Amino acid sequence: AFLVNAILRILLKLPFILLSDKGGELRKTFGVPPSALGLLPGRVSYLIDKQGVVRHTFNSLMQATQHVDEALPAVQRRAAGC
């Protein structure tokens, strides 16, 4: 997952680090609820600043591409000081 995330970050020129939660520890820490009657893990994107404060969240299992559409403008607004 680390290598895939690194490649995606380079190819997409993302101004942020991608993190995969393979073991589910972050999911538990942030309290991400399961989806689909508990059969599938939930999918939530978080924008966390350098101080560790969660600045933006997006929760959707079914709209995978919407996570990027939500996160990128939020990162750009933060970078612009908004």
Side-chain angles (χ1 to χ4, degrees):
F2 175 78
L3 184 58
V4 171
N5 286 349
I7 291 169
L8 280 174
R9 185 174 181 211
I10 292 167
L11 289 176
L12 298 174
K13 299 179 183 167
L14 299 175
F16 50 86
I17 297 170
L18 297 173
L19 175 69
S20 295
D21 186 23
K22 187 175 179 182
E25 290 301 314
L26 289 172
R27 182 181 317 276
K28 292 174 193 169
T29 300
F30 282 95
V32 176
S35 297
L37 303 172
L39 300 174
L40 298 172
R43 176 181 287 156
V44 179
S45 293
Y46 294 94
L47 172 58
I48 304 170
D49 68 15
K50 291 179 182 182
Q51 290 73 38
V53 177
V54 176
R55 298 294 182 177
H56 183 81
T57 62
F58 181 71
N59 184 349
S60 177
L61 179 66
M62 304 307 289
Q63 297 176 322
T65 59
Q66 187 69 25
H67 285 265
V68 174
D69 294 339
E70 286 278 330
L72 195 53
V75 168
Q76 291 167 336
R77 284 191 303 272
R78 296 289 306 162
C82 301

